[in-house]
Amino acid sequence: MPDLLHAHYTRRLRRRVMAGPLPRHVGLIVDGNRRWAREQGMADPSLGHQAGAEHIEEVLSWCEALGIRHVTVFLCSTENLQRRGDSEVAFLMRLIEQVVAGRLTRPDAGWRVHLAGLPDILPDSTARALKEAVEATRTCTTGAHVTLAVGYGGRQEVIEALRELMYVRAEAGVSLTELADTLSVDDVAPHLYTAGRPDPDLVIRTSGEQRLSNFLLWQSAYSELYFCEAHWPAFRELDFLRAIRSFAARDRRYGH
């Protein structure tokens, strides 16, 4: 009976949120994989990464069902690569290659893949798999876009954008002083990893932590934030729909 009630409530909530305003772009900070594995009694907490990687495809299907066409998934930060053990990082990279990139390139996946991050700091096989996923889905015509943030840091992204902007302007003969005098938000945005895609309307973080952890710092300036207690592998469609319901009930002021 509890399962039937849960399914019934989920269907009702799905219909309700579909009738209200929906985010165009959702950012996902997929936190809590290792904690979930420990709570499940798994000997190797890294196995939580596997459950988390496999869960991404299901969550994307929920977005697809609601007509949400832009999703950014924070898979691995620059800090993760630097601070986690070598064996854990290697395991996580294999999951990204085989589970995440592999499944998103299947003909029936329906998502065009984009990357955010520094591929040069990734293992060669991971960088290659991600680039191949981008190429394999380049002609996707569904209008659905998923950005995989791997080896990503928000501060680093802004630095890279400013550096690229300065190079471009220097080649056009613009002095550093001229650039400083005229620099605007609109000048920087085209050089971000997410150039050409909308900023996230809603950022969801699982596992109860209430911080952005260097995720889309520039793009999330006016995003609505939603923090969920469930660990990422245990994040249910009901939890997702509650986040969308919360978004729909908010009065977005964009800093005004």
Side-chain angles (χ1 to χ4, degrees):
M1 183 60 70
D3 289 341
L4 290 174
L5 290 174
H6 177 270
H8 176 67
Y9 179 62
T10 300
R11 286 193 299 269
R12 287 185 57 192
L13 185 54
R14 188 188 304 120
R15 288 194 297 268
R16 178 179 173 185
V17 300
M18 290 183 72
L22 293 167
R24 184 182 180 191
H25 179 181
V26 172
L28 297 170
I29 303 176
V30 295
D31 194 20
N33 292 326
R34 294 187 301 171
R35 277 168 282 177
W36 175 84
R38 293 189 188 99
E39 290 179 3
Q40 298 300 308
M42 295 181 178
D44 183 0
S46 290
L47 292 177
H49 291 312
Q50 181 168 348
E54 293 171 349
H55 193 41
I56 290 170
E57 187 176 24
E58 183 177 19
V59 177
L60 288 176
S61 73
W62 303 339
C63 295
E64 184 179 11
L66 294 182
I68 297 170
R69 296 304 185 200
H70 294 271
V71 181
T72 298
V73 187
F74 196 9
L75 293 173
C76 173
S77 68
T78 52
E79 291 84 0
N80 291 150
L81 295 173
Q82 296 164 355
R83 298 173 184 173
R84 299 284 174 87
D86 291 344
S87 60
E88 182 180 355
V89 170
F91 183 68
L92 179 57
M93 292 300 105
R94 286 197 300 272
L95 288 173
I96 291 173
E97 295 170 24
Q98 299 168 10
V99 178
V100 181
R103 293 188 181 185
L104 288 174
T105 54
R106 293 186 314 202
D108 61 341
W111 290 85
R112 181 174 175 181
V113 177
H114 306 270
L115 301 181
L118 297 173
D120 292 345
I121 68 174
L122 302 176
D124 290 344
S125 59
T126 307
R128 183 170 57 252
L130 290 170
K131 290 177 182 178
E132 289 174 352
V134 170
E135 290 302 318
T137 61
R138 192 176 295 279
T139 58
C140 178
T141 59
T142 64
H145 300 260
V146 59
T147 301
L148 305 178
V150 185
Y152 173 84
R155 290 178 174 178
Q156 185 64 37
E157 178 182 18
V158 175
I159 293 172
E160 293 291 328
L162 290 171
R163 180 181 292 123
E164 182 178 312
L165 172 62
M166 288 189 285
Y167 283 143
V168 169
R169 294 296 176 86
E171 290 177 1
V174 177
S175 72
L176 186 59
T177 300
E178 289 176 290
L179 176 58
D181 288 342
T182 62
L183 185 64
S184 71
V185 169
D186 291 337
D187 293 326
V188 177
H191 299 281
L192 297 170
Y193 298 140
T194 57
R197 299 185 292 283
D199 291 341
D201 302 296
L202 173 65
V203 174
I204 301 171
R205 179 168 187 157
T206 57
S207 202
E209 303 292 347
Q210 297 188 21
R211 55 181 179 269
L212 284 175
S213 294
N214 209 13
F215 177 61
L216 297 182
L217 297 183
W218 181 284
Q219 299 90 329
S220 64
Y222 300 112
S223 301
E224 299 298 322
L225 307 180
Y226 185 88
F227 302 105
C228 177
E229 291 295 324
H231 299 314
W232 174 250
F235 183 64
R236 307 165 298 171
E237 184 181 8
L238 181 58
D239 299 316
F240 175 70
L241 293 172
R242 284 171 172 164
I244 304 300
R245 180 181 63 184
S246 175
F247 168 83
R250 299 183 190 185
D251 178 17
R252 303 193 70 197
R253 300 185 181 183
Y254 299 94
H256 296 296

